[in-house]
Amino acid sequence: MASSSTSNAISFFSSSIFLTSPQQNPKFFSVLIPNSQKTLRPLSHSQTLNRHAPGTLVIRSEVATLPILSFDGEKIGETYIDLKTAQPETARAVVHRGVVTDLQNKRRGTASTLTRGEVRGGGKKPYPQKKTGRARRGSQRTPLRPGGGVIFGPKPRDWSIKINRKEKRLAISTALSSATVNAIVVEDFSDKFDKPKTKDFIAAMKRWGIDPKEKSMFLFTEVSDNVRLSSRNIGTLKLLTPRTLNLFDILNSDKLVFTREAVDYLNRMYGLDYEGGETVDENEEDYDEEAEGNEADESSDVVEQ
């Protein structure tokens, strides 16, 4: 049996960065069945999906090679990015669930309307029930009149939904892996900006082959003040760090730009060899700080006693 690969694009926006064929994508999947007569070239990683029947189905992924550009736009080398990716038949669903979760959790849920019992006024009956020739009416704040209450209007609610941490990480790594064909790596240029200058930043983007009118995402491990101020007036540009890396901006970008440190971070935190333990959730950090503060208070109380 021959190897099979994905052929459908994972697209959620008009400016999707997902490709339609594995030949265009430097990282794709192939299914290996035992006793196959067709030999496959060595790949980087393999993972058995069914542990109860080892060797029945193996998903493999190729390492994507990214060019490294200098600040002047010249190619000075190459690097690789190797990220964990969902199975071809479930990749679209995983990424879609991650996008829906991110967008829905951003909703504040503060929309509110007043019912007829909450609208001010309307306590007196407008006119007698009978002998007027008009329809009977008990209040001026009825939903049938302007200024009255709202029927089935929105009330404050919590829109947040839960997603497993591993599932969210897999969605991000899948999106990044599929976007490597539109990604480049640039050397650290923080020292190139002595002062904030948007014109110089746009000129650097053009040297890297990036159209300032297209949506682009830059990923840095640390952002200097001059770089941040030089890029903040570019409406099509997103400047992210590992703390602000999110699935929506990845999918909504036409071009991705990484630094060498950012590529090393992605390979370490979203690669197949990631074992966990290095990333700490923001809520967990807050909880740890509160716990440390409580422990310090308790220790001080013990000393005073």
Side-chain angles (χ1 to χ4, degrees), residues 62 85 94 113 171 224:
E62 281 193 351
T85 313
V94 170
T113 55
S224 64

Side-chain angles (χ1 to χ4, degrees), residues 56 91 119 183 289 293:
T56 57
V119 178
E289 292 178 358

Side-chain angles (χ1 to χ4, degrees), residues 139-285:
S139 173
Q140 289 286 66
R141 296 299 177 253
T142 172
L144 303 180
R145 292 183 60 87
V150 179
I151 305 176
F152 304 124
K155 287 292 185 180
R157 58 171 294 186
D158 183 13
W159 288 94
S160 63
I161 57 178
K162 180 183 178 299
I163 185 173
N164 295 332
R165 182 180 301 177
K166 291 184 179 180
E167 187 178 5
K168 183 177 180 180
R169 292 174 55 84
L170 184 62
I172 294 177
S173 61
T174 300
L176 286 171
S177 178
S178 300
T180 52
V181 70
N182 293 324
I184 60 173
V185 180
V186 297
E187 63 177 358
D188 188 17
F189 54 89
S190 299
D191 56 344
K192 304 294 184 180
F193 289 86
D194 298 333
K195 60 180 181 179
K197 193 71 174 179
T198 304
K199 184 177 180 180
D200 294 344
F201 198 95
I202 293 178
M205 293 177 61
K206 293 180 179 180
R207 290 195 298 268
W208 297 329
I210 304 174
D211 187 1
K213 296 182 180 180
E214 294 182 350
K215 297 179 181 179
S216 58
M217 187 200 79
F218 283 68
L219 181 61
F220 295 84
T221 54
E222 295 182 0
V223 182
S224 64
D225 292 337
N226 290 334
V227 172
R228 178 178 56 83
L229 296 175
S230 299
S231 61
R232 67 176 179 176
N233 286 336
I234 306 175
T236 58
L237 185 143
K238 288 287 186 178
L239 201 61
L240 304 181
T241 61
R243 173 68 70 179
T244 59
L245 181 64
N246 63 90
L247 190 58
F248 182 87
D249 288 334
I250 297 173
L251 295 175
N252 199 31
S253 300
D254 298 318
K255 196 75 173 182
L256 273 66
V257 181
F258 307 125
T259 60
R260 293 187 181 183
E261 293 78 9
V263 173
D264 295 338
Y265 169 82
L266 294 177
N267 288 331
R268 185 176 70 254
M269 306 306 298
Y270 293 94
L272 291 172
D273 298 331
Y274 173 73
E275 297 179 356
E278 294 189 27
T279 57
V280 181
D281 196 10
E282 189 172 349
N283 296 331
E284 292 183 0
E285 285 187 351

Side-chain angles (χ1 to χ4, degrees), residues 4-10 19-24 28-29 88-89:
S4 61
S5 56
T6 55
S7 60
N8 297 328
I10 307 177
L19 301 176
T20 57
S21 64
Q23 287 76 15
Q24 295 175 330
F28 61 92
F29 299 91
E89 59 272 13

Side-chain angles (χ1 to χ4, degrees), residues 22-222:
Q23 287 76 15
Q24 295 175 330
N25 197 337
K27 180 162 186 174
F28 61 92
F29 299 91
S30 61
V31 180
L32 176 62
I33 306 298
N35 302 326
S36 176
Q37 300 299 327
K38 184 177 180 179
T39 59
L40 300 178
R41 57 179 177 175
L43 301 175
S44 59
H45 294 278
S46 63
Q47 183 176 4
T48 303
L49 299 181
N50 190 354
R51 295 184 179 179
H52 299 284
T56 57
L57 186 62
V58 177
I59 301 297
R60 295 171 178 263
S61 61
E62 281 193 351
V63 177
T65 303
L66 302 179
I68 302 177
L69 304 181
S70 64
F71 185 73
D72 298 329
E74 299 178 357
K75 184 177 179 180
I76 58 177
E78 292 181 346
T79 185
Y80 76 94
I81 184 170
D82 188 13
L83 306 179
K84 187 176 182 180
T85 313
Q87 306 174 33
E89 59 272 13
T90 60
R92 186 184 183 90
V94 170
V95 176
H96 179 266
R97 175 170 164 79
V99 173
V100 171
T101 303
D102 288 346
L103 295 181
Q104 196 158 325
N105 290 347
K106 289 180 180 180
R107 299 188 65 172
R108 299 181 62 185
T110 56
S112 180
T113 55
L114 301 180
T115 63
R116 64 179 299 167
E118 298 170 340
V119 178
R120 181 179 177 88
K124 180 182 178 181
K125 191 175 179 65
Y127 46 82
Q129 180 84 350
K130 297 180 180 298
K131 300 181 180 180
T132 61
R134 303 177 64 183
R136 54 192 176 185
R137 191 172 304 281
S139 173
Q140 289 286 66
R141 296 299 177 253
T142 172
L144 303 180
R145 292 183 60 87
V150 179
I151 305 176
F152 304 124
K155 287 292 185 180
R157 58 171 294 186
D158 183 13
W159 288 94
S160 63
I161 57 178
K162 180 183 178 299
I163 185 173
N164 295 332
R165 182 180 301 177
K166 291 184 179 180
E167 187 178 5
K168 183 177 180 180
R169 292 174 55 84
L170 184 62
I172 294 177
S173 61
T174 300
L176 286 171
S177 178
S178 300
T180 52
V181 70
N182 293 324
I184 60 173
V185 180
V186 297
E187 63 177 358
D188 188 17
F189 54 89
S190 299
D191 56 344
K192 304 294 184 180
F193 289 86
D194 298 333
K195 60 180 181 179
K197 193 71 174 179
T198 304
K199 184 177 180 180
D200 294 344
F201 198 95
I202 293 178
M205 293 177 61
K206 293 180 179 180
R207 290 195 298 268
W208 297 329
I210 304 174
D211 187 1
K213 296 182 180 180
E214 294 182 350
K215 297 179 181 179
S216 58
M217 187 200 79
F218 283 68
L219 181 61
F220 295 84
T221 54
E222 295 182 0

